[in-house]
Amino acid sequence: MALVRSSVYVPRGRLYFAKWPPLVLLDERVEEFCPELGGLCEDLERAGRAAGLGVGSVGELARRFPQHVPLLLHLLDARFAGPYAEWWDALREDRFPSVAERWEVAERPSCGLPIACPVSHTALLSSPPRSLRLLGRCIHLNKKFRERHGAALWDVVADEGAAKEALEEPRRWLAPLFQDLPPAEELAGCRSTASSMRGRRLEALALFKYWAETGREPYIDGALGGWPPVKLSRRPPRRSKGGASSLLGP
C-alpha cells in the first residue's frame, strides 16, 4: 500500500525508548503496553491516519494492519533506544525475523508430523509484499487455505486491492487454518517428517498456532505469567551490507 500524504501532522525523527520488543504489536493487549513504548503508540496512530488506514487506535492498527507498521515507522523516521532498540530498528527497516522466539519445551520423541511451516506469526510484522512471500513458505497454511477457500492464497492476493482485503485482520482468517493441529504446547515438541523440513522442530508452527487461537503473543504471555516457556531469540538479523530496506525499493 502506498502511503497517502494528508493534512494530519506526523512527527519525524523522534527517539522512542521502548521497554518491550515489537512483539507487543501482535498482542491484543497492546494498548496496555503503550505507556512503556515512549510515545510510539500515539505517533503510530497519527501516521496511520496520515496513511489513510482508517484506524482510530494503535490496538485497531495492530489487529487490522500489523503488516503496515514497518511503513508507518518509515514514515515517522523513528529512532529507538532501550533494551530492544535493535528489534525495533529491524522492524522499521522491514527485516524483522519470521521466527523471533524459541519455545523451550522437551522434545516428544514419538511425535513426527508430515507438515511444514518454517515461519511463525511474526511474518506479519513485515511489509505486505514481504509478508506474503514469507507466508507462502508455510506449506501447511497454504494447503489449508486452498481446502477452505478453493483457491491458492497467491491467487486471492494477485492484485493490490485483493491483497489489502486478504491481509486485513489476518488473525480472523488465519485462526481456522490451525484447528486440526495438536495443542500448541505439544506441537512445539514435535518434528516434521515433510521432505522440506525433515527432522526440524515445529516450534514456528506452534508459536503461530498459539497466537492465532488466543490473540496473545506467546513471548509476552511468558514474560508476564511464566507460561508458555517462550524466550526471545538472541538478537534480530543483521542489516544487509547494502543496507537498503524493501520499503525503499531494490
Side-chain angles (χ1 to χ4, degrees):
M1 173 182 175
L3 289 171
V4 180
R5 303 292 180 180
S6 77
S7 59
V8 177
Y9 168 69
V10 177
R12 288 182 58 82
R14 284 185 174 173
L15 179 68
Y16 304 97
F17 189 95
K19 297 180 181 179
W20 289 90
L23 297 172
V24 296
L25 296 174
L26 291 173
D27 196 292
E28 62 183 9
R29 303 160 295 186
V30 59
E31 294 185 46
E32 298 177 20
F33 296 91
C34 286
E36 298 184 275
L37 296 181
L40 179 62
C41 292
E42 294 81 358
D43 288 348
L44 279 174
E45 291 169 3
R46 293 187 182 97
R49 289 194 293 272
L53 291 178
V55 294
S57 68
V58 72
E60 185 182 3
L61 170 66
R63 184 184 77 253
R64 293 178 58 194
F65 302 111
Q67 71 279 6
H68 287 302
V69 172
L71 288 84
L72 299 182
L73 293 178
H74 183 66
L75 176 62
L76 291 168
D77 191 24
R79 299 290 184 266
F80 295 98
Y84 302 104
E86 284 186 293
W87 292 93
W88 286 99
D89 286 343
L91 179 59
R92 184 192 65 231
E93 295 164 4
D94 202 23
R95 53 183 176 85
F96 200 80
S98 59
V99 183
E101 299 148 285
R102 308 186 313 275
W103 194 310
E104 298 182 341
V105 64
E107 181 179 354
R108 301 176 63 213
S110 61
C111 184
L113 299 173
I115 52 180
C117 185
V119 303
S120 75
H121 58 298
T122 57
L124 296 168
L125 288 177
S126 300
S127 61
R130 182 172 183 258
S131 180
L132 286 172
R133 288 197 301 271
L134 292 171
L135 292 177
R137 296 171 57 194
C138 184
I139 297 174
H140 172 80
L141 184 155
N142 284 269
K143 176 184 176 182
K144 293 301 177 182
F145 188 91
R146 183 184 291 274
E147 289 176 359
R148 292 182 66 90
H149 300 284
L153 176 60
W154 286 106
D155 294 336
V156 174
V157 296
D159 62 78
E160 184 177 347
K164 178 180 180 296
E165 182 178 350
L167 284 174
E168 185 171 344
E169 288 195 57
R171 183 171 160 258
R172 171 178 53 83
W173 60 268
L174 280 168
L177 307 183
F178 296 89
Q179 290 177 348
D180 62 345
L181 292 173
E185 62 271 23
E186 296 181 12
L187 189 61
C190 297
R191 291 190 182 274
S192 173
T193 60
S195 58
S196 62
M197 277 188 61
R198 191 179 306 278
R200 292 173 60 184
R201 293 276 288 271
L202 292 169
E203 287 178 281
L205 191 58
L207 293 164
F208 213 149
K209 177 181 171 69
Y210 184 94
W211 169 82
E213 291 184 341
T214 67
R216 300 191 307 274
E217 219 300 315
Y219 169 76
I220 301 299
D221 264 2
L224 293 176
W227 197 93
V230 171
K231 304 296 183 183
L232 198 63
S233 298
R234 288 184 177 84
R235 61 186 305 160
R238 294 180 181 275
R239 185 182 305 175
S240 63
K241 290 184 179 179
S245 165
S246 64
L247 301 175
L248 304 176

